[in-house]
């Protein structure tokens, strides 16, 4: 029986995970197919419950469901528990185990961004969703001394800070209101800037004005494309990196959990690069994959009464 692995998100059409994982399955002759399931938040519980069926090997969870997935699994690993976010599901019989491989992916991306420099101790994180939680946890574990989280809805940033109150008790982790002037003041004291919002994912906007970027910043955008933020930052002289490395390494860790085999990282990387070259975004922000090799399923919530 061909096993199924699904990515559940909303939207998912932009995702390159299908290309990366299908190439890895095919390369190792593993009979499995990777599917993209576009499910709104109201459909998440049913979608996750479906994965208990025998034909499923596991799954990935993406925007905006990573935090909502936590109470829907039977068991969480240490990293899922620590972040309060799940991006990978494995099976233990019919039981579902929630993992967070974004943490491992973020670590590789941060190390690559910093390169041979001394690891900085101050960071600004834009966003407070599932990706931001993996980033914040990665920065705490890396020994950062001050991390400031800015989020459109301040209360979500404050929730993130509360969530990490124990693991961050030795350092200064705080949420601040999203105002360009406050972000600018924090950036002046900071070396690392992480964009963990989805601003720039499906259009060409930046979360912050180009003028507040200074050339000594290291800028990581979790979005895996050359976003406006990254272009502005590069123009200001910053060292920049997009989300490809994080995507690749969180994917490799997930692949190993599903299959028990070493991930063919070069094959996955090549598939990612090829898929990036085939992605086109039209003026409305709609994403098209030319020659998709994996299934995209969109499920709409039925209006009540039908
Ligand atoms: P979530 O839905 O959990 O969080 C989205 C975040 O973006 C929130 O902080 C939200 O703020 C903010 N946001 C969205 N729209 C706006 C807007 N118009 N203005 C201001 N803020 C906005 O998503 P994730 O955390 O899972 O993902 C966030 C991004 O990170 C995505 O682009 C995703 O692709 C990327 N990512 C990449 C990974 C990789 O491997 N490269 C791994 C994980 C994430 P608010 O709370 O106020 O709504």
């Amino acid at each position: 029986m061909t096993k199924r692995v699904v990515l559940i998100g909303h939207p998912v059409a932009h995702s390159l995970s299908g290309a990366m994982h299908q190439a890895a399955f095919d390369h190792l002759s593993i009979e499995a197919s990777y599917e993209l399931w576009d499910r709104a938040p109201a459909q998440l519980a049913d979608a996750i419950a479906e994965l208990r069926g025998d034909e499923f090997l596991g799954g990935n969870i993406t925007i905006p469901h990573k935090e909502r997935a936590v109470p829907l699994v039977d068991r969480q690993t240490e990293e899922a528990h620590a972040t309060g976010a799940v991006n990978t599901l494995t099976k233990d019989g019919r039981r579902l185990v929630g993992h967070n491989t974004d943490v491992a992916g973020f670590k590789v991306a941060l190390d690559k961004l910093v390169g041979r420099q001394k690891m900085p101790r101050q960071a600004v994180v834009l966003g407070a969703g599932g990706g931001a939680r993996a980033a914040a946890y990665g920065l705490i574990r890396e020994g950062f001394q001050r991390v400031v989280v800015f989020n459109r809805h301040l209360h979500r940033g404050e929730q993130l800070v509360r969530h990490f109150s124990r693991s961050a008790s030795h350092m200064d982790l705080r949420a601040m209101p999203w105002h360009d002037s406050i972000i600018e003041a924090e950036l002046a004291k900071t070396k690392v800037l992480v964009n963990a919002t989805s601003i720039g994912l499906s259009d060409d906007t930046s979360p912050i004005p180009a003028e507040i970027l200074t050339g000594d910043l290291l800028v990581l955008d979790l979005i895996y494309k050359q976003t406006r933020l990254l272009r502005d930052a590069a123009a200001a002289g910053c060292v920049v990196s997009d989300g490809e490395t994080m995507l690749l390494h969180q994917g490799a860790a997930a692949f190993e959990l599903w299959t028990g085999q070493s991930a063919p990282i070069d094959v996955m990387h090549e598939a990612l690069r090829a898929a990036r070259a085939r992605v086109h975004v039209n003026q409305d922000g709609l994403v098209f994959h030319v020659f998709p090799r994996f299934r995209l399923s969109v499920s709409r919530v039925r209006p009540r009464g039908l």
Side-chain angles (χ1 to χ4, degrees):
M1 175 173 57
T2 301
K3 291 284 191 178
R4 300 168 70 187
V5 180
V6 298
L7 169 70
I8 304 172
H10 186 64
V12 287
H14 66 277
S15 176
L16 303 180
S17 290
M20 172 172 77
H21 285 302
Q22 196 61 57
F25 291 142
D26 294 350
H27 179 74
L28 295 177
S29 303
I30 295 170
E31 229 186 289
S33 71
Y34 194 94
E35 302 168 24
L36 307 184
W37 286 6
D38 191 325
R39 299 291 186 271
Q43 303 166 299
L44 180 67
D46 285 347
I48 289 185
E50 216 178 316
L51 300 195
R52 294 179 191 277
D54 287 344
E55 70 271 36
F56 292 97
L57 202 57
N60 280 139
I61 305 290
T62 189
I63 177 174
H65 300 317
K66 287 177 182 175
E67 290 153 87
R68 284 190 198 95
V70 171
L72 302 174
V73 298
D74 302 300
R75 185 161 65 78
Q76 299 167 56
T77 59
E78 186 266 324
E79 270 150 0
H81 182 70
T83 53
V86 162
N87 83 321
T88 298
L89 300 170
T90 57
K91 308 278 296 290
D92 178 7
R94 287 179 63 80
R95 291 164 64 79
L96 294 173
V97 183
H99 306 251
N100 193 316
T101 66
D102 281 342
V103 175
F106 177 79
K107 161 118 182 89
V108 182
L110 180 68
D111 286 346
K112 193 171 165 196
L113 178 75
V114 172
R116 291 169 162 217
Q117 298 185 43
K118 191 163 168 281
M119 184 58 76
R121 294 289 169 233
Q122 289 88 21
V124 163
V125 176
L126 305 177
R133 281 174 175 243
Y137 187 57
L139 295 166
I140 294 167
R141 283 217 309 208
E142 199 59 52
F144 276 60
Q145 287 305 309
R146 180 178 166 89
V147 175
V148 182
V149 175
F150 290 94
N151 198 52
R152 171 178 57 179
H153 295 104
L154 177 60
H155 67 89
R156 200 174 176 194
E158 290 170 340
Q159 262 170 20
L160 182 153
V161 170
R162 268 198 303 278
H163 181 86
F164 289 113
S165 58
R166 200 177 287 176
S167 48
S169 59
H170 60 289
M171 43 94 65
D172 184 6
L173 173 68
R174 61 175 69 193
M176 287 190 175
W178 188 299
H179 288 299
D180 290 347
S181 59
I182 306 179
I183 298 175
E184 182 175 17
E186 274 310 314
L187 287 181
K189 299 183 231 163
T190 291
K191 187 76 185 155
V192 173
L193 168 64
V194 178
N195 178 37
T197 74
S198 46
I199 301 171
L201 178 65
S202 55
D203 58 19
D204 195 33
T205 53
S206 173
I208 53 174
E211 306 78 69
I212 68 174
L213 292 161
T214 51
D216 52 352
L217 284 170
L218 306 173
V219 182
L220 174 62
D221 198 328
L222 301 197
I223 297 173
Y224 34 90
K225 68 177 196 192
Q226 279 304 307
T227 55
R228 174 117 178 245
L229 170 67
L230 292 182
R231 297 200 311 277
D232 289 346
C238 307
V239 174
V240 302
S241 185
D242 71 22
E244 184 180 280
T245 300
M246 179 168 174
L247 180 72
L248 177 64
H249 288 273
Q250 65 74 28
F255 183 91
E256 292 179 2
L257 289 167
W258 297 323
T259 65
Q261 300 197 39
S262 295
I265 200 109
D266 293 343
V267 171
M268 293 171 83
H269 197 187
E270 189 44 47
L272 260 187
R273 282 195 182 155
R276 283 183 76 156
R278 294 195 305 259
V279 169
H280 294 278
V281 182
N282 76 6
Q283 300 149 316
D284 303 320
L286 293 172
V287 180
F288 297 94
H289 293 265
V290 184
F291 314 122
R293 290 200 53 223
F294 42 90
R295 278 197 283 171
L296 170 64
S297 127
V298 180
S299 165
R300 302 197 188 287
V301 183
R302 267 197 210 151
R304 280 176 193 277
L306 290 182

